[in-house]
Amino acid sequence: MAPHDAVLGWDEDANAEAYEAFCRAHPMYDTTSRTLARRAHLGDAGLVVDLCGGVGATARAILDLGPARARVISMDSAAAMQRAGRRTLTDTRLAWILSPAEQLADHVPVGGVDAVVCNSAIWKTDTATVLAAVARVLRPGGRFVFNIGGGFAGVRHPDEQTVRTGPSLNALIRQVAARDYGYAPSPSAADGAPKLSLQKVRALLASAGLAVVDAEVTAQHGTMAEKKAWLSIPVFAGPEGDFTHAERMRILDAAYALTTPQTPTVTSWLVVVAERPDTTA
């Protein structure tokens, strides 16, 4: 269990263990990983990179959906996340590389990668540098498939309006924090401006020499119980500001008490498929 005043990051064992346990207990990361892997055209793949791969949820989907001969490299900068993943994912076709995503081209064959897949992380990187590195390692015709959370991309799937039956758990957390702790969001948290819109993504991809072949807003369906479990992972716990981990968990419990476990939730994702053009075709 995390200490009551923990400020945990991706390379903290307590956070990595909580994240890996969530991945085993709930389908969210498996579902989003399979959505991306299916769009990567893995039928003839020999080498695929799981970028910012964490505990290996996306690597597992690539191994399941790709050909038996395919090799997968899962690259992440957090040793704790990879330690957690290695204990349960032991496929001999998978190699783990500890490195920031920006250094991708230092670790894999330039021009020798059939696909790069990045689930739930591209907006946490130096995106322009990562895209340039991806363009270097992809073979001509190779695909880069990634997603961006709806809030970061400034998009919402229609199901967010038609399925939702009340306030989101995040909204309830902010309400409880304001009521019980005098919480007020920072101006940057309240401005609502997208961090990585599709327009910006298209421009960055074009600058890196990659062409967008598909972009779609998808909906991830879950339950309030799953959302509570996700927000219990220290690195995701809210609200922002000077709260201890124990206070955040008390706020989460109070907010969750205003819902029911099977209340449906919807998370929007912008899914982008890009290719390195095959100029020899």
Side-chain angles (χ1 to χ4, degrees):
M1 181 178 294
H4 76 281
D5 57 350
V7 179
L8 299 180
W10 292 109
D11 203 19
E12 295 280 352
D13 285 324
N15 186 77
E17 295 295 339
Y19 184 93
E20 196 275 333
F22 176 87
C23 289
R24 282 188 283 107
H26 300 279
M28 185 179 82
Y29 284 108
D30 180 66
T31 301
T32 52
S33 293
R34 287 174 179 270
T35 294
L36 298 179
R38 289 189 182 100
R39 296 173 189 235
H41 286 187
L42 300 177
D44 296 322
L47 180 60
V48 182
V49 174
D50 168 23
L51 195 61
C52 304
V55 299
T58 302
R60 190 187 302 276
I62 295 167
L63 290 165
D64 287 347
L65 298 174
R69 69 180 183 88
R71 293 182 301 117
V72 179
I73 294 172
S74 185
M75 179 178 292
D76 199 275
S77 60
M81 295 289 278
Q82 291 196 339
R83 282 196 298 270
R86 283 172 181 265
R87 287 199 295 272
T88 58
L89 188 53
T90 58
D91 196 301
T92 57
R93 296 172 294 160
L94 173 63
W96 302 82
I97 292 181
L98 183 64
S99 173
E102 292 81 0
Q103 297 174 15
L104 171 65
D106 294 337
H107 298 281
V108 302
V110 171
V113 176
D114 296 294
V116 178
V117 181
C118 184
N119 187 4
S120 311
I122 192 68
W123 64 88
K124 303 168 188 173
T125 69
D126 180 338
T127 309
T129 300
V130 169
L131 296 183
V134 169
R136 286 188 65 200
V137 304
L138 280 177
R139 64 164 173 78
R143 287 195 160 194
F144 180 35
V145 187
F146 60 97
N147 57 11
I148 305 169
F152 290 97
V155 298
R156 297 182 72 183
H157 191 278
D159 283 2
E160 282 204 50
Q161 294 298 324
T162 59
V163 173
R164 180 178 291 170
T165 58
S168 70
L169 189 52
N170 279 318
L172 292 171
I173 285 170
R174 291 190 292 270
Q175 291 175 19
V176 170
R179 181 193 70 197
D180 296 346
Y181 293 86
Y183 165 76
S186 68
S188 61
D191 64 14
K195 306 295 189 297
L196 202 56
S197 67
L198 180 56
Q199 181 182 9
K200 184 174 182 179
V201 168
R202 286 184 181 277
L204 289 169
L205 286 166
S207 180
L210 296 169
V212 175
V213 297
D214 190 27
E216 180 184 0
V217 179
T218 65
Q220 169 71 29
H221 292 257
T223 65
M224 199 65 76
E226 181 183 37
K227 190 71 171 180
K228 179 180 186 290
W230 187 76
L231 289 171
S232 297
I233 300 170
V235 77
F236 297 134
E240 63 166 10
D242 190 21
F243 293 94
T244 67
H245 181 67
E247 287 171 339
R248 288 191 172 96
M249 293 302 96
R250 285 196 290 271
I251 292 168
L252 174 60
D253 288 341
Y256 184 64
L258 301 174
T259 72
T260 57
Q262 294 307 311
T263 297
T265 62
V266 178
T267 303
S268 297
W269 293 95
L270 174 62
V271 178
V272 180
V273 182
E275 273 187 5
R276 178 183 170 188
D278 187 350
T279 57
T280 65

